[in-house]
Amino acid sequence: MEGGHRSLLTAPLLAEAELRSGSDADAAADVILDIRDAGSLRGNELMQGYSSESVEGDVEVVVTAGGEDSNPFDLLGAVPFRYIRQPCSLDPFRNHTPTVEGVYEFSKIVLCLPLALARLVLFGLSLVVGFLATKLALQGWKDKQSPMPRWRCRIMWITRLCARLILFSFGYHWIKRRGRPASREIAPIVVSNHISYIEPIFFFFELFPTIVASESHDSIPFVGTIIRAMQVIYVDRFSAPSRKNAVNEIKRKASSNGFPRVLLFPEGTTTNGRAIISFQLGAFIPGFPVQPVIVRYPYIHFDQSWGFISLAKLMFRMFTQFHNFLEVEYLPVIFPSEKKLETASEFAERASHIIATALDVVQTSHSYGDVMLLTKASEHSKEKPSAYMVEMAWVESLVNVTTSEALEFLDKFLDMNPDSNGRVDFHDFLTSMHLGPSSPLSEKVFRFVDVENKGFITFRQFLLGSGSILKQASFQQTCGEIFSECSSGDLLSREKLGEVVGSAIPGISSETLRELFRSFDVDKDGVVSRRDFMEFLQKNPLMIAVFLVSKRPHDSMDVYY
């Protein structure tokens, strides 16, 4: 197993029955590997009523054993699938020392309080002097699209020295380096793993590069002015035009030796340093040589990673340490492959693997989207916020669901009252989706998501199931056709909705129907328009199963009654 991936062995090395026979040989074994053949995988571990059709990549496609009527979404071309790739148990964002624990750490903080005050003064003075020097360097400079003139760069050395003093104030009295930066002519782009806010300060002092940063950083007091002097490339990660423009700017500045190196943190967010998460492609699309750099923060009592810990608390802990350790290693330059036409994704994967290998950590498919999911779950006071991470980069590649769509699906999932482990049972699923009471159709919809047939679903399963329906090529067209068939005068009446839903779910209560109608009325104007209908199904794609019943041939309708 590597990076959370599991390989499927199709050769039957040992029969499953022999592995479970309880023989003396088994009893004497220290480790038993449960290696199953294809027939075993098509057995009772799959959901009841389904069988395995094929295995492709990270998912195992599952087709109905009892005919098309066992799949409520077959008219859309969707099939349930079970992911062979198991959920990653590693939380790459969690700070491992969020609170002060132990007599030693408490005593050290008390002893270092006078030192912390002195460090705070040094930090403040360095920031002010650096800010004033930067203002002087930028004074009267109008042509920001061209490289900064050399005399202005010389003034910026004052700010760079102030940056080193800031690092000193945080307890980084010496910094261990391995390797050397390649010349800008050889490697115009530098990429690094990202653990804390310390790395940008270090690289500002060490390399004075052009960086790629969020537009929100421009408004940060003092910092915004300083990064403008670095001729920062701003990007809105949720805007496709902004991302495209950022790539063009990276290419333009990397291609001209008049500009500094371009520095990127391709993970797009900070981690705790125990994994390398998915890389964004901005550094690799231009096709220039890249120098990878790795940073480490060795520690025993204080994890310096900026993960789910406030900036103020992290700064206080840094100020109250005797010394904080930082190691920086410059790795050999990575050149685009000359032997074959290498895509940006392949180039990024190669760089990611090199960095992960040098750090001796695993690679995962988490992304900044997982940070947003984690944050939302925390805001809802969930006991295990990490249970709502899904390895968003993998999900996007699998079902093409965006982060904003995943956040909307999380809102829906949280309304289902998940338990402390982030799981939702059948009853809460029906209540939230307005699919009650239990019926053959509602059971099939739930089982489409609960592909492990455990009687509960996780957010990961709900997202994959909902996303696979939403992204079907015929989904939008089918929604439009359903509305045209059910509506009258471009409006869907309460009576017609009750008729359609009642035929699909016999015994549904009038109160549930009223709640469902109110849910369809997205703009809350008392009527359900085409726009309301389409928007509701867009956010609740599993609900289309209710309307697909009426589109089935009559000889297959009896499955739902």
Side-chain angles (χ1 to χ4, degrees):
M1 183 179 292
E2 179 179 337
H5 295 268
R6 188 178 78 186
S7 299
L8 176 68
L9 302 180
T10 56
L13 303 181
L14 292 172
E16 184 178 13
E18 293 177 4
L19 285 170
R20 303 189 184 280
S21 62
S23 64
D24 294 338
D26 286 350
D30 292 324
V31 178
I32 299 175
L33 297 179
D34 193 357
I35 304 173
R36 307 174 192 182
D37 61 21
S40 298
L41 280 171
R42 292 183 173 90
N44 57 16
E45 265 209 10
L46 293 175
M47 53 190 289
Q48 183 181 359
Y50 290 95
S51 65
S52 170
E53 181 184 57
S54 64
V55 175
E56 185 173 334
D58 288 330
V59 299
E60 180 176 34
V61 178
V62 177
V63 296
T64 57
E68 292 182 347
D69 292 330
S70 297
N71 176 7
F73 304 102
D74 62 291
L75 293 180
L76 291 174
V79 293
F81 55 84
R82 184 180 69 162
Y83 38 83
I84 291 176
R85 174 183 182 148
Q86 294 300 308
C88 179
S89 59
L90 176 68
D91 182 351
F93 308 111
R94 182 170 68 91
N95 183 291
H96 288 264
T97 59
T99 58
V100 178
E101 296 180 355
V103 176
Y104 171 78
E105 194 65 16
F106 273 106
S107 302
K108 181 171 61 177
I109 288 176
V110 172
L111 287 173
C112 288
L113 281 177
L115 179 61
L117 292 175
R119 286 174 169 175
L120 182 60
V121 170
L122 176 61
F123 169 78
L125 288 174
S126 301
L127 190 61
V128 170
V129 172
F131 172 75
L132 294 176
T134 303
K135 291 287 285 186
L136 178 62
L138 294 177
Q139 186 67 34
W141 186 34
K142 302 297 183 183
D143 186 13
K144 302 295 178 64
Q145 295 300 310
S146 299
M148 178 179 279
R150 293 202 173 195
W151 70 269
R152 295 182 186 272
C153 290
R154 292 191 183 100
I155 296 176
M156 286 302 299
W157 261 108
I158 300 174
T159 309
R160 294 172 68 176
L161 291 174
C162 288
R164 183 62 187 93
L165 289 175
I166 288 174
L167 291 175
F168 189 90
S169 72
F170 281 128
Y172 299 96
H173 307 125
W174 61 85
I175 297 171
K176 187 175 182 180
R177 295 173 176 81
R178 295 190 182 96
R180 291 186 177 181
S183 68
R184 194 244 180 262
E185 290 74 16
I186 295 175
I189 296 177
V190 175
V191 297
S192 172
N193 61 316
H194 198 10
I195 298 175
S196 184
Y197 60 85
I198 293 298
E199 300 102 58
I201 302 174
F202 170 80
F203 285 119
F204 174 76
F205 162 71
E206 182 96 332
L207 303 176
F208 190 49
T210 291
I211 64 171
V212 179
S214 170
E215 294 175 346
S216 61
H217 292 170
D218 187 69
S219 59
I220 301 176
F222 296 100
V223 175
T225 300
I226 294 174
I227 64 174
R228 281 197 293 274
M230 301 169 70
Q231 296 189 273
V232 63
I233 300 171
Y234 290 115
V235 62
D236 177 359
R237 71 178 82 217
F238 300 112
S239 168
S242 177
R243 294 196 302 269
K244 182 178 180 180
N245 180 67
V247 170
N248 291 335
E249 278 295 288
I250 292 170
K251 187 172 183 178
R252 183 178 77 88
K253 293 184 176 181
S255 62
S256 172
N257 285 331
F259 285 100
R261 300 172 177 86
V262 180
L263 169 68
L264 296 99
F265 299 103
E267 292 172 293
T269 187
T270 55
T271 71
N272 57 20
R274 302 191 177 202
I276 292 296
I277 64 174
S278 62
F279 273 16
Q280 305 298 308
L281 303 182
F284 309 98
I285 292 175
F288 291 106
V290 170
Q291 181 171 32
V293 184
I294 60 174
V295 294
R296 303 181 182 90
Y297 295 85
Y299 77 93
I300 297 176
H301 301 283
F302 169 46
D303 182 358
Q304 300 154 63
S305 65
W306 193 9
F308 259 67
I309 182 173
S310 70
L311 178 60
K313 181 183 290 187
L314 192 60
M315 290 177 65
F316 174 77
R317 294 290 303 278
M318 286 183 176
F319 282 143
T320 54
Q321 302 294 311
F322 294 126
H323 175 76
N324 290 309
F325 292 90
L326 170 60
E327 298 177 356
V328 180
E329 182 176 355
Y330 293 91
L331 301 178
V333 176
I334 307 173
F335 294 89
S337 176
E338 297 180 356
K339 296 182 180 179
K340 66 173 183 176
L341 187 61
E342 187 177 46
T343 65
S345 296
E346 292 169 337
F347 192 10
E349 179 59 32
R350 190 154 56 94
S352 174
H353 178 71
I354 288 172
I355 291 177
T357 301
L359 286 169
D360 193 24
V361 298
V362 300
Q363 293 174 261
T364 76
S365 293
H366 292 91
S367 71
Y368 182 70
D370 289 284
V371 176
M372 299 184 72
L373 294 172
L374 191 66
T375 301
K376 182 178 282 289
S378 298
E379 290 172 351
H380 284 74
S381 302
K382 294 303 174 183
E383 293 182 34
K384 291 184 177 179
S386 60
Y388 300 90
M389 293 192 297
V390 296
E391 291 189 274
M392 198 62 214
W394 173 68
V395 170
E396 288 182 11
S397 67
L398 190 64
V399 293
N400 200 30
V401 171
T402 66
T403 297
S404 58
E405 289 171 333
L407 289 169
E408 290 184 351
F409 283 130
L410 180 57
D411 282 329
K412 184 67 179 178
F413 188 81
L414 292 174
D415 287 340
M416 296 180 188
N417 190 34
D419 63 18
S420 59
N421 292 309
R423 303 176 303 192
V424 169
D425 62 23
F426 180 54
H427 172 74
D428 288 330
F429 175 81
L430 290 190
T431 302
S432 178
M433 296 292 291
H434 305 297
L435 285 172
S438 176
S439 67
L441 174 62
S442 58
E443 290 172 4
K444 290 177 174 64
V445 172
F446 184 78
R447 208 159 59 204
F448 183 88
V449 180
D450 179 24
V451 290
E452 299 293 339
N453 197 31
K454 293 182 177 179
F456 59 79
I457 59 174
T458 63
F459 174 63
R460 180 184 173 114
Q461 292 172 324
F462 180 71
L463 177 61
L464 288 172
S466 299
S468 67
I469 302 302
L470 176 63
K471 298 302 179 176
Q472 290 298 313
S474 61
F475 180 80
Q476 296 292 339
Q477 179 182 345
T478 303
C479 290
E481 291 174 355
I482 290 171
F483 184 82
S484 298
E485 293 169 2
C486 298
S487 64
S488 175
D490 207 32
L491 294 175
L492 177 62
S493 68
R494 188 190 305 267
E495 291 74 20
K496 184 62 178 179
L497 179 64
E499 177 186 330
V500 173
V501 177
S503 65
I505 308 175
I508 189 169
S509 68
S510 57
E511 178 59 31
T512 301
L513 285 174
R514 281 193 294 271
E515 288 293 330
L516 187 58
F517 185 83
R518 283 195 286 267
S519 297
F520 269 98
D521 180 15
V522 175
D523 57 11
K524 307 303 178 186
D525 61 354
V527 295
V528 176
S529 63
R530 176 180 290 270
R531 181 176 179 179
D532 288 336
F533 187 83
M534 299 292 287
E535 185 175 341
F536 176 81
L537 289 184
Q538 184 89 11
K539 296 180 178 179
N540 303 270
L542 296 177
M543 286 297 296
I544 198 174
V546 173
F547 301 92
L548 292 177
V549 173
S550 62
K551 297 177 72 65
R552 293 178 178 276
H554 291 291
D555 58 358
S556 66
M557 291 284 287
D558 58 340
V559 70
Y560 297 105
Y561 294 91

